[in-house]
Amino acid sequence: MQLSNDVVMELQENCPSVKNLLLLDSEGKRVAVKYYSDDWPTNQSKLAFEKSLFAKTQKTNARTEAEITLFDENVVVYKFVEDLHFFVTGGDDENELILASVLNGFFEAVTVLLRSSVDQREALTNMDLIFLCIDEIIDGGLILETDGTTIAGKVASHTIDEGAPLSEQTITQALAAAREHFTRSLLR
Amino acid sequence: MAQMVKKDDDRDEEADYSPFVGIEKGAVLQEARVFNDPQLDPRRCSQVITKLLYLLNQGESFTKFEATDVFFAVTKLFQSKDIGLRRMVYLMIKELSPCADEVIIVTSCLMKDMNSKSDMYRANAIRVLCRIIDGTLLTQIERYLKQAIVDKNPVVASAALVSGIHLLQTNPDIVKRWSNEVQEAVQSRAALVQFHALALLHKIRQNDRLAVSKLVTSLTRGTVRSPLAQCLLIRYTSQVIRESSTSNQTGDRPFYDYLEGCLRHKAEMVIFEAARAITELNGVSSRELTPAITVLQLFLSSSKPVLRFAAVRTLNKVAMTRPLAVTNCNIDMESLIADQNRSIATLAITTLLKTGNESSVDRLMKQITNFMSDIADEFKIVVVEAIRSLCLKFPLKYRSLMNFLSNILREEGGFEYKKAIVDSIVILIRDIPDAKESGLLHLCEFIEDCEFTYLSTQILHFLGNEGPKTSDPSKYIRYIYNRVILENATVRASAVCTLAKFGAMVDSLKPRIFVLLRRCLYDSDDEVRDRATLYLNTLGGDGAVVETDKDVKEFLFGSLDIPLVNLETSLKNYEPSEEPFDVKSVPKEVKSKPIAEPTGLRAPPAAAPAPTVDTYERLLSSIPEFSSFGKPFKSSAPVELTEAETEYAVNVVKHIFDGHVVFQYNCTNTIPEQLLENVSVIVDASEAEEFSEVAVTPIKSLPYGSPGQTFVAFEKPGGVTAVGKFLNVLRFIVKEVDPSSGEAEDVGVEDEYQLEDLEVVAADYILKVGVSNFRNAWESMDPDTERVDEYGLGSRESLAEAVGVVINLLGLQPCEGTEVVPNNARSHTCLLSGVYIGNMKVLVRLSFGIDSRKEVAMKLAVRSDDISVSDAIHDIVASG
C-alpha cells in the first residue's frame, strides 16, 4: 500500500513542472499571467493568490538576485525590475534551481524583447510579444525552453523577416508600418 | 492621409500609459469584425487579437456564443501570409479551446502549416493541433508527428515531443508506438530535445520496471548533455534504487556512484538534484550521506538566495531524521540566522533547534532572541513550535526555554503568535511537572498586560484548574483579583470563576476569597454579579446552606454534560413563565461526535486532551446503571465497527473501570427514509470468558443524522487484565419515514445489522503518562520490583517497525523521544512510562538489537509500584 502510493507520487513528480508564470505591476495587478495547474480553479482564487503573494514578497529586495519563498505549499521564485514583478510557481517538492532557471529565462527573454527598457509601459505596448514569450517558455506546465535569448529569438523571428516580403505588402500597410516605426522612435 | 496620422497621434496621447485603458469586451468583439474584411490588415488584426487575449488574461470570459463567433472569425485569418499574425492566431485558437466540430474547420489549415517549409510554422502548428485534436484525427497525423520527433530542427522536435507527453494521457496506445523515434531523439545533440525525449520515453515505459532499469543503466554510463535531462535521469535513478534496494545486501548500492558523480557536475541544478536524491535514499549510510552534505554546505554560503534556500531546506529535512549528519553545517547555519530572506533564516533556526544538543541550547537561545524581533509573526510561530519540541526533548533545559517563551510573550505580537506561545507554555506545564510553577507565574504576568480577551479567559480558566494544586496557591490570588479590578466584563466574570475554584480547593484561602467575591457583588456588570452571588452561595460564603464539598467541586470543575448547541436551542425555545427553566429538560444526545464538542470553547485544543475524558465521565455518571462502578480508569479512542458509508455508522469507546467494562456504542442512522427505535447492541461474549454482561441501555429513538449512544456493561474480576473478543450485532426496530411530511409510520419491523468484532486488549488497562526525567523516575522506583527478561521478536522489516509494535502492544507513553529509531541503527533503547489499572506507576526500559538477518531481540526491564504489575507487563509481551 505504502509502496504503491510512493510510486504514484513519484510518477507524477518525475518531470519538472511549473504551476504558473506571473507578470504583475507595481500594485500587484496583472500585466500577463498564465496558469498550468488546477490548484486555482476560478479567476477569484487566482486573483487572491496573486494578491497575497504580491503582499508577501513586495517588501523583499529581489532586484539584484532572484529571491525565493515558500507560499501555500508552493515554491515561488521571483525577481523585480523597475515596476515589473516576475514570478514562477512550482510544487512544494520541485527543484528550486530548475524553477529559478525558468524565471531567469522568462526575465531575460522579456529584457531582450523590450530592448532593455523593461518596464510596465513598454510591456503593455508590446503585449503581443509578452504573450508569445510566455507561450514559448512553458507548454501545459512542461518546460519548453529556459534560455532567454533563444526564447526571445523564437518570439521575435516574425518581426525580423517582416521586412523581407515587402513586395507582398500593400502601399497602405507599408505606410502604416513606416508610421509606427517613426512614432516609436520619436517617443523614445 | 495627413488627417489620419493626426488622429492616430491623438489616440496615442490619450492612451499614453496603457493601450488597454478603458478596454471593454463588447467593443473589442465589435472590432473583431475586421477579421472578415476581404482585404485583411494583418497589423490591425494582430492588435485586435492581442486585445482579446488581454481580456481573457485579465479574467474576462466569453460566452459560448461569443467564443464560437470569435473562433470562426479567427479561422478566416489563415488566408493571410503574415507570420506575426499567424502566431497570434495560433495563440488565440489555443485559448479558445474549440469543441470537436469546430476543430475540423482548422485541422486542414494546421496540417498544411505542419508541412510548411518554415520551421516556426511547423513547430507551432504541431503544438496547437495536438492541443485540440482527438484520437481519430491523431491517427491521421501520426506519421507527420513521428517525422517531427526526429526532425533536425530542435524546435520542431521539442514541439512534437512535448505534445507527445500531453497526448500520452489521452491516447496512450498511439503515443506508445512512437517509441523508436523517441529513443532516437534521446541521442539528440540539442539539449532540450534530449530532455523532452527522455521525459517522454520514461513516461512510455514507466510501468515496465525492467525497461526503466535498462534505460537508467545505459544512460548513466553515457553522457547526457542537458542539465534538465540530467536532473530527470537522477530522479529516474533514485526510483530504480528505491525499487531494487531490498534485493541488494552487499552494502554497495547500485548507481550510487552515478549520483555521487553528479555532485561534481558543472550545473548547480544537477548538483542539487543529486545531493537531494542522496539525502532521500532509504536507509542512507553516513558514508553515502557525507559528500552530499558537503556540497549542500557549500551552497549555504552562496550569494544566490535560491541556492541558500534550496540547501537549507534540504538540510532541514535531513535534520529531522539524522540530526548528527547536519551538525557539521552548524556554523554556516548560524550565520544564516541573519539572512535577509526570512524564509531562509527561519529554516536555519529550526534546523539548528533540531541539531542542537543539550549544551548548545543556551547559546542558541541567545542568538534567536536577537533574531525574533525582526521577523514576521508567521515565522515566529514556526520558531515557537520548534522550541516547544526542543523543550520536550530536553526537559532539563526547561528553565532557559521557558524564560525565552516568557520574554517573547511580553513583546509585541499578533493574536495567533501570542496564542502559539501560550499554548506552548501550557503544554510544557502539563508535560514537565518541574516547569509548572514558573510557567504559571509567567502566564500570570502575561495577563497583567494582555490585550486579547480570549487569551486572558483561557489562562484564567487554566489557572483555576492548576493553581490550587501548587505548593503556594495564595500567590496567584493577587493576579486574579487584579483582573477583577482592571479588565472588561468578560475577563472579570472569568476571574470570578477562577477565584471560586481556589476557594473550593484550598480551605485556608476560603475566608479571603469570600471577602473578594463579596466585593464583586457591586460590579457594574450583571454577569459578574450573578457569578459572584452564585459562587458565594455554593461555597457557603453567606452563611446559607453549604452544599457538600463534592457537589461544589463537581459544579466548578466538571464539564457541562449537555451539548452547548442543545442548551442554546432549548433556551431559545423557552418562553418566560412561572415555571423556571430546567436544565434537565435539555436533551443530552450529542448531535455531533462527542469528541468534537469540547474543542471550540475550551482551553486551546492541542493543550487539552482532558475534557474528552471529562465528557465521558459525565456521560457515564448520568446513567444510573453505571453509578456504582466508580470512576472510569481509561476510555479508549473510538474504534470503528462499520465500514465507511454504510447504512448505519457505529463506533465504540471502551471504558475500563476497576471491576467493570462499559462499551459505549455511538450509532448514526444515515438513511433519511428511516427512523430506528429501541436500538441496542447484542454482544456475544463467549470468547471473553472472564466477562459477564450486567446491563444494557438502548437508544429509544434514532432519527436520521443525529447520533445516539447505547451502552453495554460487563462485570470482570477486579485488578486483572482480563482480555477477550466480543461479537456485536446491532438490533433495532425500523420504521419507514415519509420524506415529504417527515412522519414515521406507526408499525415498525425488527431488524439486525452485523458489526465488526471488538477486542479488549492489555493496553486498554494502561494509561499513557509521561515522565520528564526518566532516569530520576527509574532510580526512585524500588529496585526489588524490577523484572528483566529477554525476548526474540523474530524477523522484522526494520528496527523501527519492531519498536513500534512493542510500544503499541504495551500502550505506554514513550519518553524523551526514544520512540524514534535512527535510520540504519543496529540497536536501540526505548523508554516508556505509564499507569497500570489500580493507579500503579510503571516504567519500562526496552533494549533492542537487530542482526544481519533482520532478526530482532529485545530485553525488557520493568519497574513498577507493585511486583505483580511488573509481571503483568511481561505477561503482555510474552502473550503478544
Side-chain angles (χ1 to χ4, degrees):
Chain A
M1 185 65 191
Q2 188 61 46
L3 184 77
S4 67
N5 260 344
D6 275 353
V7 171
V8 172
M9 291 275 288
E10 191 58 39
L11 294 182
Q12 284 163 348
E13 285 165 10
N14 259 334
C15 201
S17 61
V18 170
K19 289 191 178 182
N20 65 40
L21 291 188
L22 311 177
L23 182 58
L24 306 180
D25 71 7
S26 53
E27 286 160 16
K29 301 254 161 50
R30 271 180 198 172
V31 176
V33 298
K34 184 79 186 163
Y35 286 80
Y36 306 100
S37 110
D38 304 332
D39 293 14
W40 304 274
T42 62
N43 190 43
Q44 262 118 350
S45 53
K46 288 175 184 145
L47 285 171
F49 175 80
E50 289 156 31
K51 193 176 166 207
S52 45
L53 177 62
F54 184 78
K56 187 183 160 116
T57 55
Q58 193 191 7
K59 289 202 187 95
T60 54
N61 175 25
R63 295 189 179 267
T64 42
E65 290 284 356
E67 278 288 345
I68 182 164
T69 188
L70 267 182
F71 184 70
D72 281 357
E73 315 261 305
N74 290 308
V75 176
V76 184
V77 288
Y78 55 98
K79 185 160 172 134
F80 305 156
V81 183
E82 299 288 337
D83 50 0
L84 284 180
H85 299 69
F86 297 78
F87 298 88
V88 175
T89 308
D92 183 27
D93 221 23
E94 196 47 82
N95 181 331
E96 291 90 341
L97 304 180
I98 292 181
L99 294 177
S101 76
V102 174
L103 175 73
N104 205 35
F106 184 19
F107 165 75
E108 277 179 4
V110 171
T111 311
V112 174
L113 289 169
L114 300 185
R115 293 172 215 136
S116 305
S117 56
V118 184
D119 55 28
Q120 189 190 351
R121 179 204 179 108
E122 200 64 26
L124 285 172
T125 4
N126 294 290
M127 211 55 209
D128 48 345
L129 299 186
I130 304 283
F131 286 141
L132 287 173
C133 174
I134 293 177
D135 183 58
E136 290 292 353
I137 299 171
I138 303 289
D139 184 288
L142 295 174
I143 301 169
L144 258 190
E145 177 61 71
T146 57
D147 181 70
T149 341
T150 315
I151 297 166
K154 286 199 213 168
V155 172
S157 60
H158 74 273
T159 38
I160 293 163
D161 46 14
E162 186 179 51
L166 202 64
S167 55
E168 284 180 20
Q169 294 185 358
T170 63
I171 303 288
T172 349
Q173 282 170 335
L175 275 176
R179 186 171 64 234
E180 198 181 73
H181 277 293
F182 179 66
T183 35
R184 271 196 188 182
S185 56
L186 273 185
L187 281 171
R188 201 145 293 171
Chain B
M1 187 62 85
Q3 206 185 355
M4 256 181 75
V5 176
K6 182 105 193 331
K7 216 162 130 197
D8 263 2
D9 275 347
D10 276 349
R11 203 176 47 203
D12 268 3
E13 266 162 37
E14 247 171 63
D16 179 28
Y17 195 68
S18 158
F20 304 110
V21 165
I23 188 170
E24 205 260 322
K25 184 172 88 171
V28 180
L29 288 174
Q30 289 286 324
E31 277 189 72
R33 290 193 180 157
V34 298
F35 298 165
N36 296 317
D37 280 358
Q39 191 64 278
L40 282 173
D41 175 352
R43 188 164 310 277
R44 179 122 169 73
C45 292
S46 284
Q47 278 165 1
V48 175
I49 292 185
T50 310
K51 281 186 192 171
L52 288 167
L53 287 171
Y54 181 81
L55 281 173
L56 288 171
N57 210 272
Q58 292 295 316
E60 191 81 58
S61 57
F62 294 164
T63 63
K64 184 78 194 101
F65 177 75
E66 288 165 345
T68 314
D69 221 27
V70 170
F71 177 78
F72 280 111
V74 165
T75 55
K76 303 258 167 56
L77 300 179
F78 273 102
Q79 292 168 31
S80 165
K81 295 224 161 31
D82 185 274
I83 299 184
L85 177 59
R86 185 66 56 87
R87 297 288 303 275
M88 297 312 281
V89 169
Y90 293 145
L91 267 190
M92 197 66 216
I93 293 176
K94 275 200 267 189
E95 284 299 323
L96 288 171
S97 48
C99 62
D101 41 342
E102 292 169 352
V103 168
I104 297 175
I105 312 221
V106 284
T107 319
S108 59
C109 298
L110 287 168
M111 277 165 75
K112 212 176 118 208
D113 284 358
M114 252 175 73
N115 294 300
S116 138
K117 277 185 194 117
S118 155
D119 290 334
M120 201 48 74
Y121 274 176
R122 289 164 63 204
N124 279 291
I126 288 172
R127 282 171 56 203
V128 177
L129 200 50
C130 290
R131 180 69 61 86
I132 59 176
I133 210 166
D134 66 359
T136 43
L137 273 177
L138 183 59
T139 41
Q140 286 183 37
I141 59 161
E142 192 187 348
R143 190 163 56 90
Y144 302 109
L145 288 175
K146 277 173 147 181
Q147 277 168 19
I149 288 173
V150 288
D151 196 280
K152 60 181 182 305
N153 183 308
V155 182
V156 175
S158 279
L161 287 163
V162 170
S163 301
I165 298 175
H166 293 312
L167 287 169
L168 192 62
Q169 270 150 33
T170 47
N171 298 290
D173 298 334
I174 299 177
V175 180
K176 278 179 183 162
R177 296 202 289 254
W178 309 347
S179 204
N180 287 337
E181 285 78 10
V182 178
Q183 204 156 9
E184 200 180 320
V186 172
Q187 304 303 328
S188 165
R189 292 185 159 278
L192 277 133
V193 175
Q194 195 172 47
F195 164 59
H196 295 135
L198 183 54
L200 179 54
L201 189 61
H202 180 261
K203 275 206 192 307
I204 290 175
R205 295 184 179 172
Q206 65 193 6
N207 293 325
D208 182 352
R209 280 187 186 195
L210 196 65
V212 172
S213 175
K214 271 187 189 162
L215 177 71
V216 167
T217 313
S218 70
L219 287 179
T220 47
R221 277 193 215 123
T223 46
V224 177
R225 272 167 232 98
S226 145
L228 277 172
Q230 195 76 263
C231 287
L232 273 187
L233 189 54
I234 290 170
R235 289 183 193 188
Y236 303 154
T237 307
S238 347
Q239 193 185 333
V240 171
I241 293 178
R242 200 168 15 254
E243 281 158 11
S244 65
S245 60
T246 43
S247 59
N248 189 304
Q249 283 174 350
T250 53
D252 274 351
R253 208 187 282 271
F255 300 117
Y256 173 79
D257 289 343
Y258 164 72
L259 292 181
E260 208 254 337
C262 286
L263 294 175
R264 289 183 293 275
H265 198 274
K266 59 182 184 302
E268 279 158 348
M269 77 168 71
V270 177
I271 301 177
F272 174 68
E273 187 73 46
R276 191 171 71 161
I278 290 176
T279 64
E280 283 168 4
L281 289 176
N282 273 339
V284 61
S285 71
S286 302
R287 190 174 55 85
E288 289 168 325
L289 199 53
T290 312
I293 301 287
T294 314
V295 170
L296 292 172
Q297 188 178 0
L298 282 176
F299 283 177
L300 287 180
S301 44
S302 158
S303 65
K304 293 183 192 158
V306 176
L307 261 184
R308 296 199 299 275
F309 176 90
V312 77
R313 193 155 81 111
T314 310
L315 289 170
N316 188 299
K317 272 198 200 119
V318 177
M320 285 182 199
T321 49
R322 307 281 297 264
L324 282 181
V326 187
T327 42
N328 275 343
C329 308
N330 277 2
I331 295 175
D332 305 81
M333 277 297 173
E334 281 179 28
S335 58
L336 289 184
I337 294 179
D339 201 292
Q340 288 244 313
N341 183 319
R342 289 302 163 193
S343 303
I344 296 177
T346 313
L347 282 167
I349 289 269
T350 46
T351 314
L352 283 167
L353 289 175
K354 281 175 202 129
T355 57
N357 49 28
E358 207 152 348
S359 58
S360 66
V361 168
D362 294 312
R363 191 165 50 90
L364 202 54
M365 295 323 288
K366 214 181 237 166
Q367 279 176 310
I368 297 175
T369 312
N370 300 330
F371 157 87
M372 286 301 268
S373 53
D374 53 24
I375 55 169
D377 275 7
E378 47 171 324
F379 291 132
K380 290 182 183 171
I381 293 172
V382 178
V383 174
V384 166
E385 276 160 7
I387 287 183
R388 178 172 70 208
S389 36
L390 183 72
C391 193
L392 292 175
K393 194 163 116 198
F394 301 123
L396 288 178
K397 282 285 164 198
Y398 78 88
R399 221 170 247 120
S400 64
L401 295 166
M402 191 64 108
N403 270 335
F404 175 82
L405 289 177
S406 76
N407 282 337
I408 54 173
L409 193 53
R410 270 185 234 122
E411 278 159 21
E412 286 292 297
F415 172 72
E416 289 299 330
Y417 172 46
K418 288 290 164 80
K419 184 167 174 296
I421 305 173
V422 171
D423 284 355
S424 297
I425 295 184
V426 167
I427 288 174
L428 296 185
I429 291 174
R430 281 181 198 274
D431 283 19
I432 306 173
D434 296 340
K436 190 180 203 167
E437 304 238 340
S438 62
L440 285 178
L441 274 176
H442 288 313
L443 291 179
C444 281
E445 275 165 28
F446 172 60
I447 53 171
E448 291 270 86
D449 185 23
C450 170
E451 55 187 308
F452 305 108
T453 301
Y454 176 84
L455 288 181
S456 291
T457 52
Q458 291 304 325
I459 291 175
L460 283 168
H461 173 81
F462 183 69
L463 200 58
N465 290 340
E466 299 293 329
K469 295 183 219 154
T470 55
S471 58
D472 181 14
S474 65
K475 66 181 168 195
Y476 302 106
I477 301 295
R478 180 172 62 84
Y479 294 103
I480 302 166
Y481 190 64
N482 277 346
R483 300 302 100 225
V484 179
I485 303 170
L486 299 166
E487 293 280 357
N488 62 39
T490 314
V491 179
R492 291 204 302 276
S494 174
V496 166
C497 294
T498 310
L499 283 176
K501 284 180 183 168
F502 276 79
M505 294 298 285
V506 190
D507 280 336
S508 61
L509 286 175
K510 248 187 189 159
R512 286 168 62 190
I513 297 283
F514 287 151
V515 174
L516 296 175
L517 284 180
R518 270 189 212 110
R519 284 189 202 157
C520 300
L521 292 175
Y522 303 102
D523 196 280
S524 60
D525 185 81
D526 292 354
E527 176 72 21
V528 180
R529 286 198 305 273
D530 288 355
R531 285 197 190 188
T533 317
L534 174 70
Y535 293 131
L536 275 171
N537 265 307
T538 41
L539 294 173
D542 54 358
V545 192
V546 182
E547 302 205 24
T548 60
D549 205 32
K550 185 170 167 274
D551 284 346
V552 174
K553 281 182 189 153
E554 183 123 333
F555 178 68
L556 278 166
F557 293 98
S559 61
L560 195 62
D561 60 342
I562 35 183
L564 288 172
V565 196
N566 298 7
L567 181 60
E568 192 186 339
T569 6
S570 299
L571 281 171
K572 275 184 186 154
N573 293 338
Y574 173 71
E575 281 166 19
S577 65
E578 290 294 299
E579 211 174 307
F581 179 77
D582 186 3
V583 175
K584 291 199 182 74
S585 68
V586 182
K588 286 183 183 175
E589 274 165 25
V590 188
K591 291 264 190 266
S592 59
K593 278 190 173 180
I595 302 96
E597 184 259 317
T599 44
L601 281 148
R602 267 160 224 290
T612 325
V613 179
D614 279 358
T615 321
Y616 287 145
E617 212 176 309
R618 276 285 176 148
L619 188 65
L620 291 171
S621 60
S622 70
I623 299 165
E625 284 91 334
F626 308 148
S627 54
S628 61
F629 295 176
K631 254 175 85 112
F633 170 74
K634 181 181 181 178
S635 298
S636 74
V639 182
E640 295 297 333
L641 295 184
T642 48
E643 305 272 329
E645 290 165 28
T646 46
E647 299 101 302
Y648 313 108
V650 180
N651 67 38
V652 63
V653 177
K654 297 175 270 185
H655 301 290
I656 310 287
F657 292 77
D658 201 32
H660 296 86
V661 175
V662 174
F663 296 147
Q664 172 188 336
Y665 296 90
N666 301 312
C667 312
T668 312
N669 169 10
T670 62
I671 305 174
E673 297 83 19
Q674 283 190 0
L675 171 70
L676 305 187
E677 288 189 346
N678 213 2
V679 184
S680 63
V681 178
I682 308 303
V683 183
D684 173 2
S686 53
E687 289 180 53
E689 287 165 1
E690 289 172 289
F691 295 83
S692 56
E693 191 172 310
V694 288
V696 179
T697 62
I699 307 170
K700 286 208 181 63
S701 161
L702 187 67
Y704 160 70
S706 71
Q709 294 101 26
T710 167
F711 298 87
V712 181
F714 290 88
E715 200 168 31
K716 67 166 188 66
V720 185
T721 52
V723 295
K725 191 170 172 188
F726 301 83
L727 315 179
N728 306 297
V729 177
L730 190 68
R731 183 174 291 172
F732 47 82
I733 294 167
V734 55
K735 288 183 174 175
E736 295 289 320
V737 174
D738 183 345
S740 53
S741 65
E743 300 271 322
E745 280 177 20
D746 292 340
V747 192
V749 186
E750 192 162 314
D751 201 358
E752 286 186 352
Y753 189 79
Q754 188 71 42
L755 303 174
E756 306 267 323
D757 301 344
L758 167 69
E759 275 190 275
V760 169
V761 294
D764 288 329
Y765 294 95
I766 295 172
L767 274 184
K768 288 187 175 190
V769 178
V771 291
S772 64
N773 187 327
F774 188 88
R775 197 194 161 99
N776 281 357
W778 179 265
E779 311 262 294
S780 67
M781 300 288 267
D782 181 4
D784 291 341
T785 63
E786 184 165 326
R787 280 281 186 273
V788 186
D789 208 345
E790 288 182 13
Y791 299 87
L793 300 184
S795 178
R796 296 284 170 171
E797 183 83 357
S798 68
L799 205 50
E801 188 231 327
V803 173
V805 167
V806 177
I807 293 176
N808 278 340
L809 179 66
L810 291 175
L812 287 160
Q813 174 70 42
C815 300
E816 300 176 15
T818 52
E819 74 274 28
V820 181
V821 183
N823 269 349
N824 270 12
R826 316 299 299 170
S827 65
H828 183 71
T829 301
C830 180
L831 308 171
L832 306 173
S833 86
V835 172
Y836 188 76
I837 190 162
N839 227 357
M840 300 289 192
K841 202 167 164 192
V842 182
L843 295 176
V844 169
R845 199 190 275 267
L846 294 165
S847 308
F848 293 86
I850 190 164
D851 67 12
S852 56
R853 286 165 294 130
K854 305 231 170 200
E855 292 284 331
V856 176
M858 174 181 78
K859 187 173 139 192
L860 169 70
V862 192
R863 287 189 184 182
S864 66
D865 283 345
D866 191 285
I867 195 147
S868 67
V869 175
S870 303
D871 286 332
I873 298 287
H874 275 282
D875 286 346
I876 294 174
V877 175
S879 60

